[in-house]
Amino acid sequence: MGRFFNIFAAAFVSIGSFLFGYDSGIISSVITFEHFLEHFNQPNSNTNLIGAVVSTFTGGCFFGAAASGYLNDRVGRKRTTQIGCVFALWGCSMQAGANSIATLLIGRIVAGLAIGCLSMTVPLYNTEIAPPKIRGFMVGLAQQMVGIGFIAANWVGYGCQFIDSDAQWRIALGLQLVPAFMLLVGIQFLPFSPRWLIEQGRDDEAHAVVLRLHSKSGSDTSAAEKEYAEMHDAIKAELHVRSRHISDLWSSPAMIRRTFVAVGVQVFGQFTGINVINYFGPEMYQTLGLSKGKVLLVQGIYGAVGPITNFFFITLLLDRIGRKKPLLYGAASFVVTFSVLAAIVASFPPTATTNLSAQRAGIAMIFLTSINFSLSFGPVSWVLASEVFPTRTRSIGTSAATCANWAFNVLFSQVSPVAMVRVTWKFYVLFICLNAVSFVCIFLFFPETKGKSLEDMAEVFGDQVDTQEVLAKHGDTRLVHEADSDHKSDKLTEKADYA
């Protein structure tokens, strides 16, 4: 089985990310449906409803991500995913069956709790089951499924607009129940995270999972045995010297750097402005002077560009070129694209000109932003945020990073509609400055983690914990390697072949 089962498990769990993309994308279509507006007695100018729907959902996501840190440590990655699915079924059912705005908004909050939980847990699970050589690809599958969810939402929204009844919006919202139920049932047949099992003292189960996921073949288990020995020793040592408090995230210079990298990469991902485009793309196209008909066409095409780019990047490049270079490229490219976009909107105001060349150049910059995001922060932010922490703080650390993502998501989703109307092109200057700051911080403080096992991160960040010494001190020597010097040499010079 080995690699095939490993990739299958990561891809299946990433259905949770598909829910993230679909839920985020479908509401932008539903909110414009004629029968939806009539049912809730909303005028055509429904700015207040849009703001409420967006803010309640993203607010729920923030609290869902915060709670999932505790849940992942307490009940594990699998059970936390299932809890997220139960909340998704609950919230989506309320939305699809809503007969009042209050019911709809409560459904959005509950669904937000689910998506916040899944957006943090899916990358975490994929990180902990992945071998180092393809970890970027496997965690990048989460971002890939977010994009596919957006594509599905665009087409479902397009098709449902032709239904002449309340089924128009109820079907669009209700279809979320299908992937939520699939994941709830299907993940039961996938393994627990081996690293979480070791934390719980279930070493034999963890050993069996590692052999199942990482063995080259039925007879060749040497690479998997080495992987298990290293993770066992490192995790057991952490159990003796670490507590489980949020203060652990800044308890030492190494942990401060880990936390800065994880939280920073998530915040910098919001600095790219990608969610401003995702949520308010039509408004941005209108500022370029496009008609409503052309706006819908361009938005539909835009939705497919990112996932296609992301797929080729995580498949062919991410685990070869690493994490830091793509992030530097992305931050620099966004400085350029937003500079050009600001110049176009400032020089050719849509109310004063219909310059087709300017319109095309502006659309090209928006599309290029999506492409560059898929070549950088899109997949890398989830990979890096979940791989830099030691096992004992990985749940709470990833939770903190994801909460930071959602906090800035809420901020930009609330500010952007007003800013695009009141300050027009000057709003894009903000993203020029923010991405310039991101570039400097990444260049100075972010390490390269490509090809490192999760246990090797101690060397990358300079943790002062001697695994062998701690285990020997506490009498836990079951899997301590016989020759410490050889073990250290192996970790520095050899990488297991997980073919």
Side-chain angles (χ1 to χ4, degrees):
M1 280 184 148
R3 178 170 292 190
F4 174 80
F5 180 71
N6 214 173
I7 294 174
F8 171 80
F12 189 85
V13 170
S14 296
I15 290 175
S17 296
F18 174 90
L19 270 170
F20 176 9
Y22 183 90
D23 195 296
S24 300
I26 196 60
I27 201 65
S28 62
S29 297
V30 167
I31 208 76
T32 66
F33 287 166
E34 180 181 349
H35 287 280
F36 177 85
L37 297 175
E38 289 178 356
H39 185 89
F40 294 107
N41 298 317
Q42 293 295 313
N44 289 331
S45 179
N46 57 326
T47 305
N48 291 334
L49 181 60
I50 293 175
V53 167
V54 172
S55 61
T56 52
F57 176 73
T58 52
C61 289
F62 175 88
F63 289 105
S68 62
Y70 169 80
L71 289 173
N72 271 283
D73 278 337
R74 189 75 175 178
V75 300
R77 296 24 167 170
K78 271 181 61 172
R79 299 296 179 236
T80 302
T81 299
Q82 290 179 311
I83 292 172
C85 289
V86 170
F87 273 82
L89 291 170
W90 176 16
C92 295
S93 296
M94 290 186 68
Q95 293 176 66
N99 284 316
S100 67
I101 292 178
T103 303
L104 174 70
L105 295 182
I106 293 174
R108 294 295 290 167
I109 293 172
V110 174
L113 291 171
I115 299 305
C117 175
L118 293 172
S119 68
M120 175 260 176
T121 305
V122 169
L124 178 63
Y125 179 84
N126 287 356
T127 295
E128 293 192 340
I129 68 169
K133 282 192 173 182
I134 59 170
R135 188 167 61 243
F137 166 72
M138 289 180 60
V139 182
L141 286 172
Q143 180 64 28
Q144 182 66 30
M145 292 298 279
V146 170
I148 294 174
F150 267 105
I151 293 176
N154 286 339
W155 284 107
V156 168
Y158 176 80
C160 286
Q161 69 177 318
F162 298 107
I163 301 175
D164 190 20
S165 69
D166 277 354
Q168 182 185 64
W169 58 273
R170 293 191 189 278
I171 290 175
L173 293 174
L175 284 175
Q176 299 172 87
L177 298 171
V178 177
F181 181 76
M182 287 176 56
L183 183 56
L184 173 65
V185 175
I187 196 173
Q188 183 63 32
F189 301 98
L190 297 182
F192 287 94
S193 161
R195 290 173 168 87
W196 180 79
L197 289 172
I198 293 174
E199 276 195 285
Q200 306 307 307
R202 296 158 63 176
D203 296 0
D204 291 340
E205 291 180 61
H207 184 253
V209 169
V210 172
L211 291 181
R212 187 180 183 192
L213 293 174
H214 295 177
S215 294
K216 295 181 185 178
S217 64
S219 58
D220 188 354
T221 62
S222 57
E225 291 288 0
K226 179 181 177 182
E227 173 79 1
Y228 175 71
E230 290 183 358
M231 75 170 66
H232 177 279
D233 288 0
I235 293 169
K236 291 299 184 183
E238 289 171 12
L239 289 172
H240 291 303
V241 299
R242 295 185 187 275
S243 62
R244 198 190 300 273
H245 300 99
I246 193 170
S247 59
D248 287 338
L249 298 182
W250 55 84
S251 61
S252 67
M255 283 304 302
I256 291 173
R257 189 183 181 199
R258 290 177 190 259
T259 303
F260 174 77
V261 169
V263 173
V265 76
Q266 290 287 332
V267 173
F268 297 158
Q270 291 298 317
F271 285 1
T272 65
I274 191 64
N275 280 327
V276 175
I277 298 174
N278 288 339
Y279 293 150
F280 306 107
E283 287 84 350
M284 295 181 70
Y285 297 131
Q286 288 176 10
T287 66
L288 293 170
L290 271 67
S291 66
K292 289 186 178 180
K294 289 184 178 179
V295 163
L296 293 176
L297 176 62
V298 171
Q299 183 72 357
I301 298 171
Y302 166 85
V305 170
I308 293 172
T309 305
N310 184 84
F311 176 77
F312 285 105
F313 178 63
I314 65 174
T315 303
L316 302 175
L317 296 175
L318 179 54
D319 285 306
R320 295 184 180 182
I321 63 177
R323 308 348 179 192
K324 187 170 182 175
K325 291 178 182 177
L327 293 177
L328 289 172
Y329 165 76
S333 71
F334 300 133
V335 171
V336 174
T337 54
F338 276 105
S339 296
V340 175
L341 189 59
I344 291 171
V345 177
S347 302
F348 303 97
T351 56
T353 182
T354 57
N355 189 299
L356 293 179
S357 297
Q359 290 179 358
R360 291 167 183 162
I363 293 171
M365 290 302 102
I366 292 174
F367 273 58
L368 190 59
T369 298
S370 176
I371 291 171
N372 288 335
F373 181 78
S374 297
L375 293 173
S376 55
F377 287 90
V380 175
S381 62
W382 298 107
V383 176
L384 199 56
S386 57
E387 72 180 2
V388 298
F389 291 106
T391 302
R392 286 286 289 174
T393 56
R394 189 168 297 124
S395 306
I396 195 169
T398 306
S399 176
T402 308
C403 284
N405 180 307
W406 284 113
F408 278 85
N409 194 319
V410 172
L411 173 64
F412 286 126
S413 67
Q414 292 301 298
V415 169
S416 297
V418 177
M420 284 189 288
V421 172
R422 295 189 179 180
V423 300
T424 60
W425 64 269
K426 298 183 184 71
F427 182 53
Y428 301 136
V429 176
L430 171 66
F431 294 100
I432 298 172
C433 299
L434 291 177
N435 282 288
V437 171
S438 298
F439 181 91
V440 173
C441 291
I442 292 167
F443 180 79
L444 294 177
F445 303 113
F446 278 38
E448 180 54 70
T449 59
K450 176 188 71 172
K452 299 287 187 181
S453 72
L454 297 183
E455 288 65 45
D456 284 341
M457 295 300 169
E459 298 172 5
V460 174
F461 288 93
D463 285 326
Q464 302 301 314
V465 177
D466 188 321
T467 298
Q468 308 303 319
E469 181 180 337
V470 171
L471 288 175
K473 178 179 178 181
H474 291 270
D476 190 346
T477 57
R478 284 171 293 173
L479 287 175
V480 176
H481 295 300
E482 294 181 0
D484 289 352
S485 59
D486 290 342
H487 174 56
K488 183 177 291 187
S489 176
D490 286 345
K491 290 185 70 177
L492 292 173
T493 62
E494 293 183 12
K495 300 298 173 189
D497 180 10
Y498 294 97

